Amino acid sequence: MDSNTLLSLTWIYNLFRIGQEGATSRSDAQAAQELLGHIVSGYHASSGSLAFAHDADQQLRIVAGTRIPVTAIGSTVAYGDGVLGWVAAQRQALLLNGDIAGDPRFRNLKKRGDSGIPVVAMCMPLLLGKDLIGVMSLNREQGAAPFTEEDLARGTMICNLIALVVENLRLHNDAQRRIAELSRMYQQLEQTQSQLLQSEKLASIGHLAAGVAHEINNPVGYVNSNLGTLQGYINDLFRLLATYEKAEPLLATDPLLQTEIASLKQTLDLTFLREDTLNLVKESQEGLTRVRKIVADLKEFSHVDRAEWQEADLHLGLDSTLNIVNNELKYKAEIVKDYGRLPAVQCIPSQLNQVFMNLLVNAAQAIEQRGTITLRTGTDGDGVFIEISDTGKGMPAEVQKRIFEPFFTTKPVGKGTGLGLSLSYGIVQKHHGRIGVTSTPGQGTTFRVWVPVGQERDEEQT
């Protein structure tokens, strides 16, 4: 490389341009490779390598190479090992012309694949003040014109510029990586916070449900007891009334009283009154039984007193959840149950019930007019599956790919948080299971949850 080329403003401008463009539009590896290629070309070298320094662990990492084995890129060299390591340790430039295989300065000298140990080379440290930024090596094929002391002197001068460009590139990319990492951590924090808020909300609802269930059970208990007693009283009164009716013929001596009784029986429609009173009591008792079932299902759904790992009947959880969300479903769909035989599953029932609730509500909301929601269960390998299918509007492929992302929702603003399916995904993952979706636009959607029958003990279960 002659002095005119070396000091060419165009060459130096291109050097900085490569560094600047690399810091904004290329990866570390791409920018470093282009930078090295520019220098190799300028020095009429046949090959070269560029390594970044890591003083903390006293190692170089090769980030770019021209005509060196691909496996060398990304490898590390300890300070003091080989030519690159010697330059890093000594922070001195080297001019090599001749066989260095036996040179005592270079420990652990290794051949690079079939390329052998370079015999015509110039290796220079990239320094910014006293700080080592990296090491660059330029090589020529055996028999080519050797590098000169003048090349080395000029190269050392150019290395100051190269070190500045490399450091700028590395700092920019480090900053970009940190920004990306901070952004990722912020999203995780936001997701975790939302999940914690949702979990806290669910826990509060569970405690509220348990309290409401207890408060409802008390009046339901005594009203049901009173209705039973009232039914007994009414039966007794009707028996007494029947006895009096038998005595009516004996009132012939008092036609006025007999006429009054007959008129009153006709006015009150005693036959209807007798039948309807019994029906009212029976319906009231059935209504109370329904209330008690809802309360029981509410407690079964929340499992506030059993929010730990345990063996549970998932069919019981599904039925309880269906009862709880019945108001969401009854106007939109017919419920079809296709239950298989399931073993008891080790799980946290209240959490799986939350998954079932999310899937059932979503299924109902996907049906625009009137449709069908089908629940299928069965065994699959060492686990069980629960499928919830709807005949709703379905989802396109691009929506299916994102359906479990936190905060992703296709619902209008204010109609959905985008957390239901994300939380469901997390719950199934916690159970070491899988949740998937298949959907066809205009035909419907099926969510499939698979969980293992047993769970290995881990930190989450302690």
Side-chain angles (χ1 to χ4, degrees):
M1 184 177 188
D2 57 39
S3 58
N4 290 333
T5 302
L6 179 65
L7 299 178
S8 165
L9 289 177
T10 301
W11 190 89
I12 294 175
Y13 168 77
N14 286 335
L15 180 71
F16 279 99
R17 177 188 59 78
I18 293 169
Q20 186 177 29
E21 291 180 356
T24 56
S25 62
R26 294 182 179 87
S27 66
D28 280 358
Q30 290 174 322
Q33 192 64 44
E34 188 173 349
L35 186 68
L36 178 64
H38 181 68
I39 298 167
V40 166
S41 176
Y43 269 93
H44 303 295
S46 59
S47 64
S49 60
L50 176 63
F52 286 170
H54 296 269
D55 276 342
D57 53 7
Q58 296 286 288
Q59 284 192 330
L60 297 169
R61 183 173 64 86
I62 299 176
V63 295
T66 301
R67 293 184 64 187
I68 67 172
V70 176
T71 53
I73 307 297
S75 63
T76 58
V77 178
Y79 286 10
D81 281 358
V83 176
L84 293 179
W86 187 92
V87 170
Q90 302 299 321
R91 304 196 179 194
Q92 293 181 19
L94 271 179
L95 191 63
L96 303 174
N97 289 301
D99 187 2
I100 61 169
D103 195 316
R105 292 176 296 177
F106 310 129
R107 71 182 190 217
N108 300 325
L109 196 62
K110 298 177 182 178
K111 294 183 178 181
R112 291 180 177 170
D114 298 329
S115 62
I117 298 173
V119 293
V120 178
M122 185 167 62
C123 191
M124 297 165 287
L126 305 179
L127 298 168
L128 278 181
K130 295 181 179 180
D131 294 330
L132 179 68
I133 305 303
V135 174
M136 183 177 64
S137 175
L138 301 173
N139 314 308
R140 288 178 181 167
E141 294 179 353
Q142 189 171 5
F147 290 109
T148 65
E149 291 290 344
E150 186 178 2
D151 289 331
L152 188 62
R154 290 171 177 168
T156 302
M157 180 182 66
I158 293 297
C159 277
N160 292 331
L161 298 176
I162 296 171
L164 185 62
V165 173
V166 168
E167 180 65 359
N168 180 58
L169 174 66
R170 190 163 66 171
L171 287 174
H172 182 275
N173 281 281
D174 282 348
Q176 291 300 108
R177 278 194 296 270
R178 289 176 184 175
I179 291 171
E181 179 66 15
L182 286 172
S183 177
R184 185 185 65 81
M185 291 175 65
Y186 176 77
Q187 288 180 342
Q188 285 184 338
L189 181 62
E190 194 174 46
Q191 178 184 351
T192 301
Q193 182 185 30
S194 296
Q195 290 178 337
L196 287 173
L197 289 173
Q198 187 78 352
S199 298
E200 184 65 24
K201 179 180 177 182
L202 291 173
S204 299
I205 291 173
H207 285 290
L208 178 63
V212 169
H214 177 73
E215 291 300 318
I216 290 176
N217 269 335
N218 282 337
V220 163
Y222 63 71
V223 169
N224 191 53
S225 176
N226 290 349
L227 277 175
T229 303
L230 180 60
Q231 186 176 30
Y233 292 165
I234 290 173
N235 289 335
D236 291 341
L237 287 173
F238 282 158
R239 283 205 312 273
L240 178 62
L241 184 59
T243 302
Y244 278 131
E245 285 179 330
K246 292 178 182 178
E248 278 188 43
L250 302 177
L251 298 176
T253 57
D254 192 345
L256 183 63
L257 180 59
Q258 192 176 34
T259 301
E260 183 180 352
I261 290 174
S263 175
L264 186 59
K265 286 173 67 177
Q266 184 177 1
T267 301
L268 295 178
D269 195 352
L270 186 61
T271 301
F272 171 78
L273 187 64
R274 181 185 286 112
E275 293 176 356
D276 199 43
T277 300
L278 293 174
N279 286 336
L280 288 175
V281 172
K282 182 180 178 182
E283 287 179 4
S284 297
Q285 289 177 322
E286 289 175 352
L288 285 175
T289 301
R290 168 73 175 154
V291 171
R292 299 183 83 169
K293 180 67 168 63
I294 292 173
V295 169
D297 286 336
L298 191 60
K299 293 179 73 175
E300 177 68 25
F301 176 82
S302 62
H303 276 300
V304 175
D305 55 340
R306 295 186 288 137
E308 297 179 351
W309 292 91
Q310 60 192 274
E311 289 191 343
D313 181 351
L314 295 192
H315 285 157
L316 183 61
L318 273 170
D319 290 340
S320 298
T321 307
L322 276 170
N323 210 11
I324 294 300
V325 299
N326 181 60
N327 193 57
E328 291 273 351
L329 308 182
K330 63 183 178 181
Y331 302 111
K332 300 294 290 291
E334 176 189 359
I335 305 300
V336 177
K337 296 181 183 179
D338 183 11
Y339 288 176
R341 297 189 63 175
L342 297 186
V345 174
Q346 192 175 15
C347 63
I348 303 178
S350 60
Q351 293 189 1
L352 288 185
N353 288 346
Q354 179 68 27
V355 174
F356 302 152
M357 185 183 74
N358 285 332
L359 297 182
L360 286 167
V361 170
N362 282 351
Q365 292 175 346
I367 297 173
E368 296 177 329
Q369 298 298 326
R370 181 82 182 172
T372 302
I373 296 175
T374 304
L375 283 68
R376 298 183 187 88
T377 65
T379 56
D380 182 3
D382 58 353
V384 301
F385 70 85
I386 300 93
E387 288 185 352
I388 297 178
S389 303
D390 65 68
T391 57
K393 56 189 176 182
M395 295 179 286
E398 56 270 20
V399 172
Q400 294 179 50
K401 291 177 181 177
R402 302 187 59 194
I403 199 69
F404 298 111
E405 291 181 13
F407 309 109
F408 176 78
T409 180
T410 58
K411 298 173 185 176
V413 176
K415 295 294 184 179
T417 62
L419 282 174
L421 287 176
S422 173
L423 287 169
S424 297
Y425 183 87
I427 289 170
V428 175
Q429 288 288 102
K430 181 177 181 179
H431 283 75
H432 303 103
R434 302 184 295 271
I435 181 170
V437 60
T438 56
S439 184
T440 302
Q443 296 184 26
T445 299
T446 297
F447 281 91
R448 191 177 199 268
V449 176
W450 179 93
V451 291
V453 171
Q455 297 284 337
E456 293 183 4
R457 298 291 296 179
D458 56 29
E459 292 181 1
E460 289 184 318
Q461 297 182 23
T462 58

